[in-house]
Amino acid sequence: MKVLIVNLILYTSETENIARVESIKDTMIYDLCLAFHNKGIDVTLAAAQDYKPSVEENYPFEIKWFDSVHKNVFKPNLLPYCPGIAEYASQENFDLIISSEVFSLSTLELVKRFPNKVIAWHEIAKHNHFLKQIPSKIWYNLIAKKYFKNTLVVARSNEARSFISHYCKNVSETVVDHGVNLEKFEAKSDKENYFIVSSQLIKRKRINLIIEKFYNYLKKYDSTAKLYIMGEGEERYALEQQVKDLGIDENVLFFGKMPHAQLKEYLASAMAMLVYTEKDNNMISIVESLACTTPVITTCVPYNASYISKYNLGIADSNWSEEDLHRIAVNEKYYVDNCIEYRHNLSDESKVDTFLRLAQEL
C-alpha cells in the first residue's frame, strides 16, 4: 500500500518568521508517518519547505518538501499554499491520501483530482477570526459544500466533527485525534512532588495564571512543592519577575527550551501537567503527558479536555484553581491509574489502524 500524508505545517509558529528547528523528529506528524512505515506501508510525507530543518537529517520514509507560493496572502505559518503537491501526487500512484484540513488549497486540489482516494483530516472547530471570519465562512459555505460533499472527512475531535458536519455531508462518526510514539515515553506510576508546564512562554498560554494558582497552593496546602516551567518565549522575563515578587523563587524553576529526550524524564515524574491556555486546538503536549501517565489539569479550551473529563485523566475546568492541584495530589494513584488504563488509546499504531479501516470506506 502506498500512502501520501499532506501536513504542510509541521509545528506551530506564532509569527510569519518561522524559526527553523534542527530536527522534525519530535513532531506529531513524523511519528504518525513512522507508525505507517513500521507497519510495512510505503508512506510519504508532504510538507512546506518553510519547515525543513536547519540540519540535514535521514528518515526511514520519504519526505517531500514543497515551495509555498504567494506568501503575502497565504502565510506559511497559517495557510500555506504549495501547488506542487497535486502535480506530484498525479505522477505517483498513491492508494490513500490523508490531507490536513478542509480549509486548505492543497486539500482542495487533491480532492478535485483524486475524489476517491482522499481523507480530509480536520482539526478546526470554529471559524478563523481573520478578516471578521469572511474568508472562513466563504470557504466552508461555498467551497466545502460544493467540492467536499463526497469526500470522507475525519475529525480530530468531537468539537471539530460537530463544526465540519454543518458543511460536509460525508463526515465519519469515528474521531482520530493526535497520537504519540509510546516507545518514546515511559509510563511511570511513582510521581515526585512537583507540577510541570511545557509550553511557549507567550501571553495566550497564560502562564502567569498558572503561577498564581500554584502560589495559592503553596500557601494553603504544601509549601515544599515545586513548579517546573519548560519553554521559552517573550513572556519569560515578566514571569520570572512575577515569581520574584511573590517570593517563591525556590519553588518555581525555569528550565528554558529543553530537548525532548530530557523533557520526557521530567514529565514522567510530575504529579500533573498544568495548562491554562485561552486558544489552542488539540495539544500534543497534553497527549505526551498522558503517555507518561501524568495527569493533566487544563482549561476546557483544548479539544483534548473532553476525553480528560470523560476518562478522569486529570481535571478540565475553565477556572481551575489551587483546589484542583490539591485534588490531584491527594488522589494521585486514582488519576495515574486512569492514565495507565487509557494509555494504549494514544498510540500512533492505533491511529494508523483506524485510518486503514476508514480507508475501506473510500
Side-chain angles (χ1 to χ4, degrees):
M1 188 176 192
K2 196 171 181 180
V3 175
L4 175 65
I5 296 182
V6 180
N7 198 99
L8 303 183
I9 299 175
L10 297 187
Y11 50 87
T12 302
S13 175
E14 296 295 321
T15 67
E16 296 176 25
N17 298 319
I18 300 169
R20 295 290 182 97
V21 296
E22 292 186 358
S23 174
I24 62 162
K25 292 185 178 181
D26 287 333
T27 62
M28 175 276 299
I29 203 66
Y30 177 87
D31 279 334
L32 180 64
C33 291
L34 186 61
F36 271 99
H37 170 78
N38 289 341
K39 284 186 177 288
I41 293 170
D42 182 2
V43 63
T44 299
L45 172 62
Q49 182 78 26
D50 309 79
Y51 295 87
K52 189 173 184 179
S54 58
V55 177
E56 195 70 27
E57 292 188 296
N58 293 318
Y59 308 113
F61 53 87
E62 188 166 17
I63 299 182
K64 290 288 187 180
W65 304 98
F66 293 89
D67 291 329
S68 50
V69 301
H70 308 306
K71 295 184 181 182
N72 290 335
V73 177
F74 304 109
K75 308 294 185 183
N77 67 315
L78 297 174
L79 187 66
Y81 176 36
C82 302
I85 292 175
E87 189 61 36
Y88 166 73
S90 296
Q91 297 169 5
E92 302 291 330
N93 188 26
F94 290 106
D95 300 296
L96 172 66
I97 300 173
I98 301 171
S99 188
S100 290
E101 302 305 328
V102 169
F103 193 172
S104 163
L105 287 166
S106 294
T107 305
L108 173 62
E109 290 184 342
L110 290 166
V111 164
K112 290 167 70 176
R113 294 196 189 202
F114 312 101
N116 299 318
K117 291 185 176 182
V118 177
I119 291 177
W121 194 23
H122 187 78
E123 182 174 12
I124 305 302
K126 57 187 175 183
H127 288 294
N128 190 296
H129 288 288
F130 178 68
L131 291 179
K132 299 182 178 179
Q133 299 185 343
I134 293 174
S136 178
K137 289 181 176 179
I138 289 175
W139 185 275
Y140 288 112
N141 280 290
L142 297 180
I143 305 299
K145 285 184 176 180
K146 180 178 180 180
Y147 293 103
F148 287 75
K149 58 185 177 182
N150 295 318
T151 300
L152 179 60
V153 178
V154 177
R156 306 193 198 195
S157 67
N158 290 322
E159 292 85 350
R161 186 184 182 283
S162 177
F163 172 79
I164 200 60
S165 293
H166 291 293
Y167 309 101
C168 298
K169 294 182 179 179
N170 193 18
V171 179
S172 176
E173 293 287 340
T174 302
V175 170
V176 182
D177 59 352
H178 295 161
V180 292
N181 183 347
L182 291 183
E183 292 182 1
K184 291 183 176 181
F185 297 93
E186 178 187 2
K188 192 172 183 180
S189 56
D190 296 329
K191 306 297 183 180
E192 299 178 19
N193 191 25
Y194 68 85
F195 300 94
I196 193 168
V197 171
S198 177
S199 169
Q200 292 175 285
L201 306 186
I202 56 179
K203 285 188 176 180
R204 70 175 174 84
K205 297 292 188 176
R206 302 168 83 184
I207 310 299
N208 60 315
L209 293 183
I210 294 178
I211 293 172
E212 178 185 308
K213 308 305 179 186
F214 179 69
Y215 171 69
N216 293 336
Y217 175 77
L218 291 175
K219 289 196 303 179
K220 191 170 182 178
Y221 292 111
D222 184 359
S223 63
T224 67
K226 305 286 186 183
L227 175 62
Y228 294 168
I229 299 179
M230 318 299 195
E232 284 290 353
E234 60 190 22
E235 291 292 297
R236 176 164 179 170
Y237 175 78
L239 295 172
E240 289 178 329
Q241 190 60 49
Q242 178 187 6
V243 168
K244 289 180 181 178
D245 293 342
L246 292 172
I248 53 175
D249 307 60
E250 293 184 1
N251 298 88
V252 181
L253 304 177
F254 290 84
F255 287 80
K257 188 173 177 62
M258 182 175 287
H260 228 69
Q262 188 179 0
L263 170 63
K264 67 182 183 182
E265 300 299 328
Y266 285 96
L267 197 57
S269 296
M271 283 195 292
M273 189 176 82
L274 309 182
V275 178
Y276 224 112
T277 183
E278 63 182 22
K279 182 184 177 184
D280 268 296
N281 297 326
N282 285 320
M283 292 180 63
I284 190 63
S285 59
I286 287 179
V287 182
E288 291 173 347
S289 180
L290 298 176
C292 293
T293 64
T294 295
V296 177
I297 302 177
T298 178
T299 58
C300 295
V301 172
Y303 303 150
N304 318 68
S306 60
Y307 62 80
I308 288 174
S309 292
K310 182 177 181 179
Y311 297 102
N312 294 308
L313 308 175
I315 296 169
D317 187 322
S318 293
N319 297 293
W320 63 260
S321 68
E322 64 276 8
E323 304 300 331
D324 298 297
L325 299 182
H326 179 61
R327 191 182 312 166
I328 291 288
V330 297
N331 298 290
E332 176 186 303
K333 186 178 186 305
Y334 168 76
Y335 287 105
V336 171
D337 285 349
N338 290 340
C339 292
I340 291 172
E341 185 175 348
Y342 187 80
R343 187 174 183 265
H344 71 278
N345 295 299
L346 303 171
S347 73
D348 281 315
E349 286 74 15
S350 70
K351 310 304 177 185
V352 171
D353 289 339
T354 304
F355 272 125
L356 295 178
R357 177 174 57 80
L358 289 169
Q360 301 304 312
E361 297 181 22
L362 297 177

